[in-house]
């Protein structure tokens, strides 16, 4: 039976109220339902807007409620988003859906910890940024001319801690929602898992999950119908197929915080023998028939 990993991103959940998120998710689940019915499926998802909202709530209530560390904010969004996906995907696919809170091992010596680069949370003024730097030890950088934001490490995922539980749930016939937001980053200390404040890229974690599951297919859903050469230029060109070597050569041209990590994930999965399809929700049906999207294979 085919095992597929489907990575939800872009506009899968929207950024507004719960009602608005449910509306967006209902459309997303309807788009992936035909793929979900084909075999064993594990669904992953991003959590950027939701984590940002959660961190903003914490800041507003900091005088009354102790703030949570970032890794627990990731855990909260796994449950929050997983609950929404469970209800909507079960209705769209007529299959049982189970959300599994997922931890992902990272290396405490990963160079990312020495060079935090992932902006998260709300924007702060220059004076407030200095206070947060002094009192909390945060690193903050100016972002998009809108103020200062906290930056955190984005280490490489090494191992999905709950991989056997995911495998067993999928084999039982359930659609599994796992590795939300890239997973809860943890390190091993004295034989025990310890959460660390970092953000794991969702697409890289999805590729690792697909490799560890022995999946045949990784589907990365985003806001554009395919990968383009010369994106948003007059000579932009849609790419239909790439080998791992061709995809690697294309990486420097891709946006670092957008398409590049998706292509890096596709390359990693292709080198492990799998095939990745990158497309949008709107183009998924055509892409599955070979008329849209970008496929990356070894």
């Amino acid at each position: 039976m085919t095992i597929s990993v489907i990575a939800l991103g872009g506009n899968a959940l929207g950024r507004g109220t719960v009602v608005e998120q449910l509306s967006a998710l209902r459309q997303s689940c309807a788009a992936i339902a035909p793929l979900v019915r084909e075999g064993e499926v594990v669904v992953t998802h991003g959590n950027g807007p939701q984590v940002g909202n959660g961190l903003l709530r914490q800041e507003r209530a900091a005088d009354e409620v102790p703030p949570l560390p970032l890794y627990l904010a990731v855990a909260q969004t796994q449950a929050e988003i997983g609950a929404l996906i469970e209800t909507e995907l079960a209705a769209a696919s007529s299959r049982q859906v189970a959300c599994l809170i997922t931890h992902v091992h990272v290396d405490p010596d990963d160079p990312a910890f020495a060079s935090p680069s992932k902006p998260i949370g709300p924007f702060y003024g220059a004076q407030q940024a200095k206070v947060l730097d002094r009192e909390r030890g945060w690193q903050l950088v100016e972002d998009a001319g809108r103020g200062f934001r906290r930056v955190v490490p984005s280490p490489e995922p090494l191992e999905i801690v709950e991989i056997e539980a995911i495998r067993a749930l999928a084999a039982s016939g359930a659609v599994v929602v796992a590795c939300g937001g890239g997973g809860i980053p943890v390190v091993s200390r004295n034989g025990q898992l310890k959460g660390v404040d970092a953000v794991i890229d969702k697409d890289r974690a999805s590729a690792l999950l697909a490799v560890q599951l022995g999946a045949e297919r990784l589907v990365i859903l985003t806001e554009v119908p395919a990968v383009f050469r010369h994106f948003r230029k007059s000579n932009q060109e849609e790419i239909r197929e790439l080998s791992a070597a061709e995809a690697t050569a294309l990486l420097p041209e891709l946006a670092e915080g957008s398409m590049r990590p998706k292509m890096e994930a596709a390359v990693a999965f292709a080198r492990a023998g799998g095939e990745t399809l990158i497309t949008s929700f709107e183009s998924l049906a055509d892409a599955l028939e070979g008329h849209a999207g970008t496929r990356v294979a070894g």
Side-chain angles (χ1 to χ4, degrees):
M1 184 177 289
T2 301
I3 303 176
S4 297
V5 173
I6 306 174
L8 304 183
N11 56 356
L13 278 163
R15 299 171 179 268
T17 66
V18 170
V19 172
E20 291 169 335
Q21 290 182 54
L22 277 170
S23 177
L25 187 57
R26 189 164 297 124
Q27 297 177 54
S28 303
C29 288
I32 68 173
L35 188 56
V36 167
R37 297 188 191 105
E38 289 184 5
E40 295 182 13
V41 175
V42 180
V43 176
T44 67
H45 60 82
N47 68 344
Q50 290 75 24
V51 162
N53 289 342
L55 294 174
L56 182 55
R57 292 187 195 102
Q58 288 193 151
E59 288 302 307
R60 298 286 172 85
D63 292 337
E64 299 184 31
V65 181
L68 293 174
L70 176 58
Y71 73 90
L72 285 183
V74 173
Q76 281 190 334
T77 60
Q78 284 193 4
E80 169 193 343
I81 298 169
L84 299 179
I85 293 175
E86 275 197 36
T87 55
E88 294 303 318
L89 189 54
S93 66
S94 299
R95 290 189 62 180
Q96 183 178 12
V97 183
C99 174
L100 185 65
I101 303 301
T102 314
H103 300 77
V104 176
H105 272 296
V106 298
D107 184 351
D109 296 321
D110 190 302
F113 286 105
S115 303
S117 60
K118 178 71 173 178
I120 63 166
F123 290 87
Y124 302 97
Q127 190 59 40
Q128 192 176 10
K130 291 179 181 178
V131 172
L132 291 168
D133 182 12
R134 182 175 66 251
E135 294 184 355
R136 301 191 190 179
W138 286 3
Q139 293 191 43
L140 297 100
V141 298
E142 192 169 8
D143 186 10
R146 297 171 60 189
F148 289 80
R149 293 179 79 191
R150 181 186 178 189
V151 288
V152 298
S154 185
E156 287 292 322
L158 301 179
E159 181 185 31
I160 311 299
V161 174
E162 290 84 4
I163 188 66
E164 292 306 324
I166 295 169
R167 194 190 312 278
L169 278 169
S172 75
V175 178
V176 188
V177 182
C179 287
I184 304 164
V186 293
V187 297
S188 294
R189 292 176 181 157
N190 300 319
Q192 186 173 357
L193 297 181
K194 298 291 184 182
V196 291
D197 277 356
V199 171
I200 300 171
D201 180 82
K202 174 263 300 177
D203 296 307
R204 293 189 179 108
S206 299
L208 175 63
L209 174 64
V211 170
Q212 289 195 275
L213 283 175
E216 289 86 4
R217 177 167 54 191
L218 170 62
V219 180
I220 298 178
L221 295 169
T222 184
E223 297 180 358
V224 293
V227 180
F228 292 84
R229 286 190 177 90
H230 317 300
F231 186 52
R232 290 180 177 168
K233 297 179 180 178
S234 59
N235 60 339
Q236 119 173 345
E237 175 190 355
E238 186 170 336
I239 304 171
R240 190 68 70 238
E241 293 185 4
L242 288 169
S243 67
E246 290 168 335
T248 301
L250 184 66
L251 287 174
E253 184 183 323
L254 303 178
E256 186 171 354
S258 179
M259 188 56 73
R260 190 183 300 179
K262 293 174 174 54
M263 188 61 76
E264 289 172 341
V267 169
F269 188 50
R271 288 177 174 164
E275 179 182 89
T276 299
L277 173 63
I278 302 174
T279 190
S280 64
F281 294 94
E282 295 82 1
S283 300
L284 178 59
D286 287 337
L288 290 173
E289 295 180 357
H291 305 310
T294 301
R295 295 178 185 272
V296 181

